[in-house]
Amino acid sequence: MKKLSVLLLALAVTFGSAGCTRKTLSDIVNENNGGTENNTTTGTDDSYHEYEVGDTAQTMFFDLTVLDYLSSTDINGIKPEAGKQFVGVKLNIENTFNKDITMFSSDIIIEWDKLNADDPGAAGPNSYYEEFEKEYTLAPGESKEGVLVFEIPEGITQVAITTQDIYVDKQGNEHKGDVYIVNIDLSKQ
């Protein structure tokens, strides 16, 4: 699943649907002479950090905590597509960087082991509650708590909420850094 995570994140970034790769973060990194000052990272590409629900993943730019989750085939009378289920994930995201950062709902994806060749094995959120708009800005130290709703194949019980450190340096080189994976066992809800 780890190799799948990197591949899917790379594809998502290529097609503009995931990652903290927006120019805003690159500009911030470059303003700090390419460093992250008050943040810690391994400094190597493709390092994985795995967490469980309730743990705090510390990325280069923000802390991410999965507080709770729920899978269901009905949310207030709304049903997913046939053969699918909803997964609602309650998150807390806190800006740990020393500048404002623009966040996107697509910075966080859900992944699972593919069921077949046609199964993408990953999805971005398809519903946003007012706490997490499609785009929002967090000031240093500011946090947001809210729910993202994903739609995944029915019967999947092992998923991961995933994000990755990605930015462009002053020379225009894209850096894909550490991957942060929060494992969720939906059968334990």
Side-chain angles (χ1 to χ4, degrees), residues 14-160:
T14 301
F15 294 106
S17 64
C20 302
T21 62
R22 307 304 195 264
K23 190 173 182 179
T24 305
L25 291 180
S26 300
D27 290 343
I28 293 169
V29 170
N30 290 329
E31 287 172 10
N32 289 320
N33 299 319
T36 59
E37 290 185 16
N38 64 345
N39 297 87
T40 303
T41 187
T42 63
T44 61
D45 290 349
D46 300 330
S47 295
Y48 297 94
H49 306 275
E50 292 195 45
Y51 303 88
E52 300 300 322
V53 174
D55 295 341
T56 299
Q58 297 178 321
T59 76
M60 288 176 68
F61 304 102
F62 59 90
D63 285 355
L64 167 70
T65 307
V66 173
L67 302 169
D68 202 3
Y69 61 92
L70 175 69
S71 85
S72 177
T73 55
D74 185 305
I75 298 177
N76 297 329
I78 300 171
K79 307 260 187 219
E81 284 183 36
K84 298 209 173 178
Q85 65 183 328
F86 290 123
V87 177
V89 181
K90 185 175 184 181
L91 304 170
N92 184 320
I93 299 175
E94 179 181 355
N95 178 356
T96 57
F97 204 65
N98 62 354
K99 304 262 184 185
D100 288 0
I101 59 172
T102 301
M103 297 288 298
F104 300 85
S105 57
S106 59
D107 289 337
I108 312 296
I109 64 171
I110 193 168
E111 298 179 284
W112 60 90
D113 288 330
K114 288 183 171 191
L115 297 175
N116 56 52
D118 294 330
D119 182 354
N126 63 346
S127 294
Y128 318 97
Y129 289 84
E130 55 185 67
E131 299 92 347
F132 288 118
E133 303 86 14
K134 287 186 176 187
E135 179 180 330
Y136 56 95
T137 300
L138 292 175
E142 182 182 5
S143 64
K144 272 192 182 275
E145 186 174 296
V147 176
L148 293 177
V149 178
F150 303 90
E151 194 171 310
I152 68 170
E154 197 169 29
I156 296 289
T157 59
Q158 302 295 318
V159 296

Side-chain angles (χ1 to χ4, degrees), residues 2 5 48-51 160-163 179-183:
K2 290 179 184 178
S5 297
Y48 297 94
H49 306 275
E50 292 195 45
Y51 303 88
I161 299 300
T162 307
T163 191
V179 176
Y180 305 88
I181 302 164
V182 181
N183 295 303

